[in-house]
Amino acid sequence: ETGVTQTPRHLVMGMTNKKSLKCEQHLGHNAMYWYKQSAKKPLELMFVYNFKEQTENNSVPSRFSPECPNSSHLFLHLHTLQPEDSALYLCASSLPSDRSTDTQYFGPGTRLTVL
Amino acid sequence: GENVEQHPSTLSVQEGDSAVIKCTYSDSASNYFPWYKQELGKGPQLIIDIRSNVGEKKDQRIAVTLNKTAKHFSLHITETQPEDSAVYFCAAKRGYSTLTFGKGTMLLVSP
């Protein structure tokens, strides 16, 4: 275990559903990340939060809405997704990402399937 | 921005052989290079990292080498074992930027 947990581990949803992914870290970190992992593609960084403030949004469609209520919890709210959004969604945490060596620790991911 | 290329995409070896995975990066100012291992059903796990002020780092059967002039770095696994089978990702980072990952290498170690 890396100290980063994600729920649910698997999620199947229709295009009109609304669901949320949850991430929790027990490492005392202050930075949290959402990544999308699709087959045959590099890990795609979606969002970065430092000390609960969003510091990076990599042109992610508005149907993905992150929320970071505190440094230990991170959510990804999903609504009106498309089938091409099916992927493994990974959460990671680190010391503040403005450090030159922010080793990131990943959770196990949520396997999302959009029908 | 940074661009990281990783080769090969798939690597098959016999148990006991060595495995080498190579990555190149585009930003000469990148100074931190971690390697992650991702097993089936799990998230990526850091296995070794290297900073730009050293050329090589070793941890038991795993080593990483860095050539700043050529802008490439490599992961070396010696005496491979079936449990080394996984997807391996390299990444690069410049200063205060976020990590840029390669596309991954699937390593298959046959008994």
Side-chain angles (χ1 to χ4, degrees):
Chain A
E1 294 296 327
T2 62
V4 182
T5 58
Q6 289 187 243
T7 54
R9 295 293 309 276
H10 301 272
L11 178 62
V12 179
M13 59 187 290
M15 288 190 284
T16 58
N17 290 159
K18 289 185 181 181
K19 296 287 184 184
S20 295
L21 310 184
K22 179 182 176 182
C23 175
E24 184 173 359
Q25 60 95 1
H26 309 275
L27 300 170
H29 290 159
N30 300 110
M32 297 189 79
Y33 311 76
W34 279 118
Y35 286 88
K36 177 182 179 183
Q37 187 175 36
S38 305
K40 312 241 183 248
K41 284 188 174 183
L43 280 163
E44 299 174 56
L45 179 64
M46 301 174 72
F47 301 104
V48 181
Y49 277 82
N50 278 284
F51 296 97
K52 304 187 295 178
E53 298 296 322
Q54 188 180 123
T55 55
E56 194 154 339
N57 175 338
N58 275 357
S59 304
V60 179
S62 59
R63 57 186 183 269
F64 294 92
S65 174
E67 179 189 0
C68 189
N70 55 61
S71 294
S72 298
H73 294 85
L74 184 66
F75 295 90
L76 188 62
H77 304 298
L78 317 170
H79 62 98
T80 58
L81 294 192
Q82 305 298 312
E84 58 266 29
D85 296 322
S86 298
L88 182 69
Y89 288 85
L90 290 161
C91 173
S93 72
S94 74
L95 292 172
S97 67
D98 62 350
R99 292 196 177 189
S100 61
T101 54
D102 63 337
T103 299
Q104 294 182 21
Y105 295 84
F106 286 84
T110 295
R111 173 67 63 185
L112 174 66
T113 303
V114 182
L115 302 176
Chain B
E2 176 67 277
N3 183 49
V4 177
E5 299 284 339
Q6 183 172 347
H7 298 280
S9 56
T10 306
L11 178 60
S12 294
V13 300
Q14 291 291 118
E15 183 176 0
D17 288 350
S18 295
V20 180
I21 303 170
K22 298 181 179 180
C23 288
T24 59
Y25 59 98
S26 60
D27 188 346
S28 56
S30 286
N31 58 1
Y32 176 60
F33 308 92
W35 284 89
Y36 286 83
K37 174 184 180 182
Q38 186 173 21
E39 297 175 304
L40 199 62
K42 297 184 178 180
Q45 306 296 314
L46 178 75
I47 55 171
I48 195 167
D49 57 13
I50 192 168
R51 296 165 187 14
S52 58
N53 58 344
V54 298
E56 184 174 359
K57 184 176 178 180
K58 196 171 181 181
D59 183 4
Q60 298 182 340
R61 296 186 297 109
I62 293 173
V64 56
T65 58
L66 172 65
N67 183 327
K68 288 188 292 183
T69 303
K71 290 189 286 186
H72 68 71
F73 56 112
S74 299
L75 178 71
H76 304 256
I77 305 174
T78 58
E79 300 172 27
T80 53
Q81 300 167 4
E83 51 265 39
D84 294 328
S85 296
V87 179
Y88 292 80
F89 293 94
C90 63
K93 174 180 165 67
R94 167 189 184 168
Y96 302 136
S97 70
T98 53
L99 287 170
T100 300
F101 287 86
K103 288 188 178 181
T105 296
M106 178 176 289
L107 174 64
L108 301 170
V109 182
S110 303

